[in-house]
Amino acid sequence: MSKSKINVGNFFEDFKIGQVIRHAAPRTVTVGEVALYTALYLPRFAVQSSTAFAQAIGYERAPIDDLLVFHLVLGKTVPDVSLNAIANLGYADFKFLIPVYPGDTLSATSEVIGLKENSNKETGVVYVRTTGANQRGETVLSYARWVMVKKRDRDAPVGPEIVPDLPKSVAPSELGKAAPPINVGAYDKALAGSRYIWGDYEQGEKIDHIDGMTVEEAEHQLATRLYQNNSKVHFNQYYEAQGRFGKRIIYGGHVISLARALSFNGLENVFHISAVNGGRHVNPLFAGGTVFAWSEVLEKAEIPGRQDIGALRLRLVATKDKPCADFPLHGAEGKPDPAVLLDLDYWGVLPR
Amino acid sequence: MSKSKINVGNFFEDFKIGQVIRHAAPRTVTVGEVALYTALYLPRFAVQSSTAFAQAIGYERAPIDDLLVFHLVLGKTVPDVSLNAIANLGYADFKFLIPVYPGDTLSATSEVIGLKENSNKETGVVYVRTTGANQRGETVLSYARWVMVKKRDRDAPVGPEIVPDLPKSVAPSELGKAAPPINVGAYDKALAGSRYIWGDYEQGEKIDHIDGMTVEEAEHQLATRLYQNNSKVHFNQYYEAQGRFGKRIIYGGHVISLARALSFNGLENVFHISAVNGGRHVNPLFAGGTVFAWSEVLEKAEIPGRQDIGALRLRLVATKDKPCADFPLHGAEGKPDPAVLLDLDYWGVLPR
Amino acid sequence: MSKSKINVGNFFEDFKIGQVIRHAAPRTVTVGEVALYTALYLPRFAVQSSTAFAQAIGYERAPIDDLLVFHLVLGKTVPDVSLNAIANLGYADFKFLIPVYPGDTLSATSEVIGLKENSNKETGVVYVRTTGANQRGETVLSYARWVMVKKRDRDAPVGPEIVPDLPKSVAPSELGKAAPPINVGAYDKALAGSRYIWGDYEQGEKIDHIDGMTVEEAEHQLATRLYQNNSKVHFNQYYEAQGRFGKRIIYGGHVISLARALSFNGLENVFHISAVNGGRHVNPLFAGGTVFAWSEVLEKAEIPGRQDIGALRLRLVATKDKPCADFPLHGAEGKPDPAVLLDLDYWGVLPR
């Protein structure tokens, strides 16, 4: 009886194709979350930092940072989707669709869109399509994600393998949905911190963001709790001391936010992440590590129907304890550089 | 002259029966405090997490977490009541009476209701009745608390011993005052995270909340400062290095909030603490410790006049570095288990 | 190409007399920042803590803490002024001019008012006049600051030496601009925490604030990021491990805020810092240190035209791991006591 009311998370064999999960704990996002997010990462993008700046260019007020929206939505899915996950494998078709403002309430729903048992029969890959909605029921964020989840029982029967067909990248025509029409004339580049806009970047250009940020245990714990992400590995040193690494693993999203904030130096006007094409957490990060980052312009795209903003497809790479002047990515023999933490492929938008 | 304007706190012989102390530093509680509270403990109760959820069931908006209200009120009393306390002995007749919302300003008053010198003449027990009020002067919280306080002067004369007659528990008829009439039909159990409501719990039922949370120095210091609780032992490593434990002692209320947040897993719909019958901080916690928790349903009660909500009298036990699958409480020879930090007896309310 | 878009900061030879720099990242200050500020320092001044208290005496609502305004304004200047600074030399003519309220957006501008190359030709002193403005363009804060900045190229030619003539102190007639007319009758001294007002302090009086606060890495990093101050030395253990001290240096402003919060005990009614006459960061602080503080009343002044408030010119001294019962300041042979971190000279205002 003692555990009957306890959520121990779903195991691979608990998921069914087409199953829709309404996740618990809707969350009202406020200026309180915004201030903490600033204190955790040091973002300086003017649109999110200043209501006056945001309103001047066309927002209702300063929107919630895209990644904060993502973390809050993902956090809700953890108890149902990834409490028994052993690896966070990937993201695809990840789009921000409507701006989120302080006072909005976010909730999340996931549909199981793919299931594939691994040959060891001890784990399987679960693919979900997660949507985050606001209090009016409008979808603010939609993404596909796949994670490797343990089976409760090696011998449990599972259904046929279904692997969803996911796009390699989000098409430019789908970008910019969460950016209102921007009054480019009112966009003050000096206040934003750089004179470089869309036309100033070139495909193939690489940028070393030069700064580094050391992460403390208290910081990543505060962040991950702020997102109501209750994944055990981030918080419980008693168990992790006996685990794979002997220490708490930092939530991968924490690294994304650190790298994004570091990328301000060189990408000051990329004020909005419109879509994520894909991403991998290449290595885990632990407290005490210092995160560095670099970016590469993979592609430049016009957004159909938008003269105000253009899109840059950017690779954002984060490393641990390794400055990025030589843009580390691959190590010896084609293996990833062991210092690489994150390899993210996203569409950022900036004024034209 | 140098110390004449300094508050060094009251000593046992400074308290008089019937003395009323208006505590300093009224405090406006905002969504800023709410966000930090979430980041410190990972609470996920839907009523406090979501304005949309709270309004749907009958609140004006998402109320401030009961324990945050408690910590803020208690924090104000510290400079006057417990700056020279050496032990926090107990609570009784502890009731939440009105919801607190962001924007409300809390202030606190204490009346001395009992005094009892210890036989060693070096300390005595001070009993106070503390009330927290909002900016309209309405009492939002009322509790009796007793602490062991040092005497300044062993030979100082003291008055006759007066020990107040405090109830062992709060009567069901006094519960639910701070919960508005709940529209149970609008209470979305999936969003709240569990299908189990009042009728599903049984007296004697025990729940292991399974998760654990490791506490860092920065975290408990941030929390305790957030509550404007200036008790020296939590912040000053220079002095504590020479003290009883050689390290800073974590505010006992931090453990209560951690245990309450952990108890979400199994008590998801117990959205409100209505009263505390009693509680003991059995052992101190230090940074680096991992807190686990379990609960027992001590009693089930209907609340007279309320068809919307029912009450569960719950024992909430927190431990340090000890998972709670076997519900640790007593150790060898009837002594408390040395891993037990907290033994709290409270009334929670949940939908019927 | 890789670094062409990167801000590596200005070097001494990049500054020109009369140059005006509009700093990036305007910032909307909210109750989120206020809550974090409380959690970082434990301030208890009633005016900033309580909207009800502030409104009763004449403010629109609880104003943003003066030092939080200062940190936010200074943070903006770092990327342009002090990214290549090796010492923060001083402040002068530092005045708060208008109250800042939650919701206001702060931006900052600096004018270069002095330049003086050092004889080693490797560094020089840059003097700037920085003003912080709100969203209506009103100046909320103005100060002169000088820092020692590296030269990029030892042989770069520099202009003639210009050292601005800065006042040794702010005149009483310039004080109180950011304090509205105070309804002294409504100022509740019990709620504020002390019965001592302007008339109760005497020139030469020294106050040991008795309490101490130990600083953790996570805390000063959260604070400094909250201020969007991206000075490298505070965050990057990878580099600092190889640096002068082998560890991260705590932002000097963190010490000012800690000392100011500690000074509540003894200066409870000094609710507002009106001006700073000068200040020196005497020694650096590192995580693990415990900060203590003491104050001396250097001068008492009436503020022309104000019967409601009076001014105290206060020396605020902070120390590391050294209680202040004997008011440490000078060490052996006229050198500063090596435990002294901060020696600040400011005008505080309080009710008459």
Side-chain angles (χ1 to χ4, degrees):
Chain A
M1 179 178 75
S2 72
K3 285 200 173 179
S4 66
K5 293 190 173 73
I6 292 294
N7 176 27
V8 294
N10 289 309
F11 290 86
F12 180 73
E13 62 266 42
D14 298 327
F15 293 96
K16 307 296 164 202
I17 291 289
Q19 178 186 359
V20 173
I21 305 169
R22 292 176 67 229
H23 304 294
R27 172 77 166 276
T28 302
V29 198
T30 73
V31 292
E33 276 79 20
V34 172
L36 253 171
Y37 192 82
T38 302
L40 287 163
Y41 304 112
L42 215 168
R44 286 179 288 154
F45 298 96
V47 169
Q48 287 77 23
S49 182
S50 165
T51 281
F53 191 98
Q55 288 176 334
I57 67 167
Y59 281 89
E60 287 176 30
R61 57 189 291 197
I64 301 292
D65 191 286
D66 305 304
L67 292 174
L68 176 51
V69 171
F70 163 58
H71 297 319
L72 290 168
V73 169
L74 182 120
K76 291 180 198 335
T77 71
V78 168
D80 300 311
V81 173
S82 53
L83 214 52
N84 299 306
I86 57 175
N88 196 357
L89 298 173
Y91 301 99
D93 200 30
F94 184 126
K95 292 171 282 195
F96 290 98
L97 299 168
I98 287 179
V100 177
Y101 294 109
D104 283 353
T105 296
L106 298 174
S107 56
T109 303
S110 296
E111 180 177 354
V112 180
I113 58 170
L115 288 169
K116 183 183 150 200
E117 189 182 34
N118 286 324
S119 54
N120 63 13
K121 290 190 176 292
E122 291 181 347
T123 56
V125 179
V126 179
Y127 296 78
V128 293
R129 161 68 63 184
T130 295
T131 54
N134 64 21
Q135 69 279 10
R136 293 180 297 276
E138 299 160 335
T139 299
V140 299
L141 169 64
S142 174
Y143 62 87
R145 177 189 179 212
W146 51 109
V147 291
M148 192 185 301
V149 175
K150 281 184 261 189
K151 287 182 73 179
R152 185 188 289 106
D153 172 6
R154 194 181 183 285
D155 299 325
V158 299
E161 176 177 315
I162 295 183
V163 174
D165 188 25
L166 293 166
K168 289 260 185 237
S169 68
V170 175
S173 60
E174 298 189 74
L175 301 178
K177 309 288 191 205
I182 300 299
N183 180 349
V184 175
Y187 188 101
D188 184 327
K189 287 184 276 189
L191 278 186
S194 169
R195 66 180 182 275
Y196 301 109
I197 58 173
W198 184 73
D200 299 312
Y201 289 86
E202 289 174 34
Q203 191 177 336
E205 185 173 353
K206 291 181 178 177
I207 300 168
D208 170 15
H209 300 302
I210 70 173
D211 300 313
M213 186 64 73
T214 305
V215 181
E216 301 294 323
E217 296 282 13
E219 294 170 356
H220 76 85
Q221 294 200 146
L222 285 168
T224 312
R225 285 187 298 244
L226 182 69
Y227 312 143
Q228 294 175 311
N229 175 335
N230 70 330
S231 181
K232 302 156 194 269
V233 298
H234 309 315
F235 303 116
N236 189 326
Q237 183 55 30
Y238 179 85
Y239 282 137
E240 294 309 313
Q242 312 155 36
R244 261 193 295 176
F245 302 105
K247 44 195 170 181
R248 283 161 278 178
I249 302 168
I250 293 175
Y251 164 50
H254 198 67
V255 175
I256 301 179
S257 282
L258 284 168
R260 164 73 174 154
L262 290 170
S263 80
F264 176 81
N265 197 344
L267 296 172
E268 289 86 346
N269 288 318
V270 180
F271 64 85
H272 170 48
I273 294 177
S274 187
V276 175
N277 300 304
R280 281 194 316 136
H281 298 292
V282 183
N283 281 296
L285 177 67
F286 306 100
T290 300
V291 176
F292 293 87
W294 64 272
S295 293
E296 178 180 358
V297 181
L298 298 175
E299 198 178 334
K300 275 179 80 167
E302 299 194 3
I303 302 174
R306 300 290 295 251
Q307 297 301 315
D308 52 342
I309 53 173
L312 296 179
R313 185 173 173 182
L314 292 155
R315 164 175 250 167
L316 176 59
V317 177
T319 61
K320 175 174 63 179
D321 296 338
K322 183 160 191 169
C324 293
D326 58 355
F327 311 113
L329 186 61
H330 301 298
E333 301 171 16
K335 288 184 186 167
D337 186 314
V340 170
L341 299 169
L342 172 76
D343 186 3
L344 190 76
D345 172 349
Y346 73 97
W347 283 109
V349 302
L350 69 177
R352 290 179 66 171
Chain B
M1 182 178 73
S2 71
K3 286 202 174 176
S4 65
K5 293 190 173 73
I6 290 295
N7 176 26
V8 294
N10 289 309
F11 290 84
F12 180 73
E13 61 265 43
D14 298 327
F15 292 96
K16 307 295 163 205
I17 290 290
Q19 178 185 1
V20 173
I21 306 169
R22 292 176 66 229
H23 304 294
R27 172 77 166 278
T28 302
V29 198
T30 73
V31 291
E33 276 78 21
V34 172
L36 253 171
Y37 193 82
T38 303
L40 288 163
Y41 304 112
L42 216 168
R44 287 180 287 154
F45 297 96
V47 168
Q48 287 77 22
S49 181
S50 166
T51 281
F53 191 99
Q55 288 176 334
I57 66 166
Y59 283 89
E60 287 178 28
R61 57 189 292 198
I64 301 292
D65 191 286
D66 305 304
L67 292 174
L68 176 50
V69 172
F70 163 58
H71 297 319
L72 290 168
V73 169
L74 182 119
K76 292 181 197 332
T77 71
V78 167
D80 300 310
V81 173
S82 52
L83 214 54
N84 299 306
I86 56 174
N88 197 358
L89 297 174
Y91 301 100
D93 199 30
F94 185 128
K95 292 173 279 195
F96 291 98
L97 299 169
I98 287 180
V100 177
Y101 294 108
D104 283 353
T105 297
L106 297 175
S107 56
T109 304
S110 295
E111 180 177 355
V112 180
I113 58 170
L115 288 169
K116 181 184 151 199
E117 190 182 33
N118 285 323
S119 54
N120 64 12
K121 291 190 176 292
E122 292 181 348
T123 56
V125 179
V126 178
Y127 296 78
V128 292
R129 160 69 62 184
T130 295
T131 53
N134 64 19
Q135 69 279 9
R136 292 181 298 276
E138 298 160 337
T139 299
V140 300
L141 169 63
S142 174
Y143 62 87
R145 177 189 179 212
W146 52 107
V147 291
M148 192 186 300
V149 176
K150 281 185 262 190
K151 287 182 74 180
R152 185 188 289 105
D153 172 6
R154 193 182 184 286
D155 299 324
V158 299
E161 176 177 315
I162 295 185
V163 174
D165 188 25
L166 293 165
K168 290 258 185 240
S169 68
V170 175
S173 60
E174 298 189 73
L175 301 178
K177 308 289 192 206
I182 300 299
N183 179 349
V184 176
Y187 188 101
D188 184 326
K189 286 183 276 188
L191 279 186
S194 170
R195 66 179 182 276
Y196 301 109
I197 56 172
W198 184 73
D200 300 312
Y201 289 87
E202 289 174 34
Q203 190 175 338
E205 186 173 354
K206 291 180 178 179
I207 300 168
D208 170 15
H209 301 301
I210 69 173
D211 300 312
M213 185 65 71
T214 305
V215 181
E216 301 294 322
E217 296 281 13
E219 294 170 356
H220 76 84
Q221 293 200 148
L222 285 167
T224 311
R225 285 187 297 244
L226 183 69
Y227 311 142
Q228 294 175 309
N229 174 335
N230 70 330
S231 181
K232 300 155 195 269
V233 298
H234 309 314
F235 302 117
N236 190 325
Q237 183 55 31
Y238 179 86
Y239 283 137
E240 293 310 312
Q242 312 155 36
R244 261 192 294 176
F245 302 105
K247 45 195 169 181
R248 284 161 279 178
I249 302 168
I250 293 175
Y251 164 49
H254 197 68
V255 175
I256 301 180
S257 282
L258 283 168
R260 164 74 174 152
L262 291 169
S263 79
F264 176 80
N265 197 343
L267 296 172
E268 289 86 345
N269 289 318
V270 180
F271 63 85
H272 170 49
I273 295 178
S274 187
V276 175
N277 300 304
R280 281 196 315 136
H281 298 292
V282 183
N283 281 296
L285 177 66
F286 306 100
T290 301
V291 175
F292 293 86
W294 64 272
S295 293
E296 179 180 357
V297 180
L298 298 175
E299 197 177 335
K300 274 180 81 169
E302 299 194 5
I303 301 175
R306 301 288 296 250
Q307 297 302 316
D308 53 343
I309 54 174
L312 296 179
R313 185 173 174 181
L314 293 155
R315 164 174 251 168
L316 176 59
V317 176
T319 62
K320 175 174 62 177
D321 297 337
K322 183 158 192 171
C324 294
D326 59 354
F327 311 113
L329 186 61
H330 301 298
E333 299 171 19
K335 290 184 185 169
D337 186 313
V340 171
L341 299 169
L342 172 75
D343 187 3
L344 190 76
D345 172 349
Y346 73 97
W347 282 109
V349 301
L350 69 176
R352 290 179 66 169
Chain C
M1 179 179 74
S2 72
K3 285 201 173 178
S4 67
K5 293 190 173 73
I6 291 294
N7 176 27
V8 294
N10 289 308
F11 291 84
F12 180 73
E13 61 266 42
D14 299 327
F15 293 96
K16 307 296 163 204
I17 291 288
Q19 179 185 0
V20 173
I21 305 169
R22 291 176 66 228
H23 303 294
R27 173 76 167 278
T28 302
V29 198
T30 73
V31 292
E33 276 78 20
V34 172
L36 253 172
Y37 192 83
T38 303
L40 287 162
Y41 304 112
L42 217 168
R44 287 179 286 153
F45 297 96
V47 169
Q48 287 77 21
S49 183
S50 166
T51 281
F53 191 99
Q55 288 176 334
I57 66 166
Y59 283 88
E60 287 177 29
R61 57 189 291 198
I64 302 291
D65 191 286
D66 306 303
L67 292 174
L68 176 51
V69 172
F70 163 59
H71 297 319
L72 290 168
V73 169
L74 181 118
K76 293 181 197 333
T77 71
V78 167
D80 301 309
V81 173
S82 52
L83 214 53
N84 299 304
I86 56 176
N88 197 358
L89 297 174
Y91 300 100
D93 200 30
F94 185 127
K95 292 172 279 197
F96 290 98
L97 298 169
I98 287 181
V100 177
Y101 293 109
D104 283 353
T105 297
L106 297 174
S107 57
T109 303
S110 296
E111 179 177 354
V112 179
I113 57 170
L115 288 169
K116 182 184 151 200
E117 191 182 33
N118 285 324
S119 54
N120 63 13
K121 291 190 176 293
E122 292 181 346
T123 56
V125 180
V126 178
Y127 297 78
V128 293
R129 159 70 62 185
T130 296
T131 53
N134 64 20
Q135 69 280 8
R136 291 180 298 275
E138 298 161 337
T139 298
V140 300
L141 169 63
S142 174
Y143 62 87
R145 178 189 178 213
W146 52 108
V147 290
M148 192 185 300
V149 175
K150 281 186 260 188
K151 287 182 74 179
R152 185 189 289 104
D153 172 6
R154 194 182 184 285
D155 298 325
V158 300
E161 176 177 315
I162 295 183
V163 175
D165 188 26
L166 293 166
K168 290 258 185 240
S169 68
V170 175
S173 60
E174 298 189 74
L175 301 178
K177 309 289 192 205
I182 300 299
N183 180 350
V184 176
Y187 188 100
D188 185 326
K189 287 183 276 189
L191 279 186
S194 169
R195 65 180 182 274
Y196 301 109
I197 57 172
W198 185 73
D200 299 311
Y201 290 86
E202 290 174 34
Q203 191 177 335
E205 185 173 353
K206 290 180 178 178
I207 300 168
D208 170 15
H209 301 302
I210 69 173
D211 299 313
M213 185 66 71
T214 304
V215 182
E216 300 294 322
E217 296 281 13
E219 294 170 355
H220 76 85
Q221 293 201 146
L222 286 167
T224 312
R225 285 187 298 244
L226 182 70
Y227 311 142
Q228 294 175 310
N229 175 335
N230 70 330
S231 181
K232 301 155 194 271
V233 298
H234 309 315
F235 301 118
N236 190 325
Q237 184 55 31
Y238 178 86
Y239 283 138
E240 293 309 313
Q242 312 155 37
R244 260 192 295 177
F245 302 105
K247 45 194 170 181
R248 284 161 279 178
I249 303 168
I250 294 175
Y251 164 50
H254 197 68
V255 175
I256 301 180
S257 282
L258 283 168
R260 164 73 174 153
L262 290 170
S263 80
F264 177 81
N265 196 344
L267 295 172
E268 289 86 346
N269 288 318
V270 180
F271 63 85
H272 171 48
I273 295 178
S274 187
V276 175
N277 300 304
R280 282 194 316 135
H281 298 292
V282 183
N283 281 296
L285 177 67
F286 306 100
T290 301
V291 175
F292 293 86
W294 64 272
S295 294
E296 179 180 358
V297 180
L298 298 175
E299 198 177 333
K300 276 180 79 169
E302 299 194 4
I303 302 175
R306 300 289 295 252
Q307 297 302 316
D308 52 342
I309 53 174
L312 296 180
R313 185 172 173 182
L314 292 156
R315 163 175 251 168
L316 176 59
V317 177
T319 62
K320 176 174 62 177
D321 297 336
K322 183 161 192 169
C324 294
D326 59 354
F327 312 112
L329 187 60
H330 301 297
E333 300 171 17
K335 289 184 186 168
D337 186 313
V340 171
L341 299 169
L342 172 76
D343 187 3
L344 190 76
D345 173 348
Y346 74 98
W347 283 108
V349 299
L350 70 176
R352 290 179 65 169

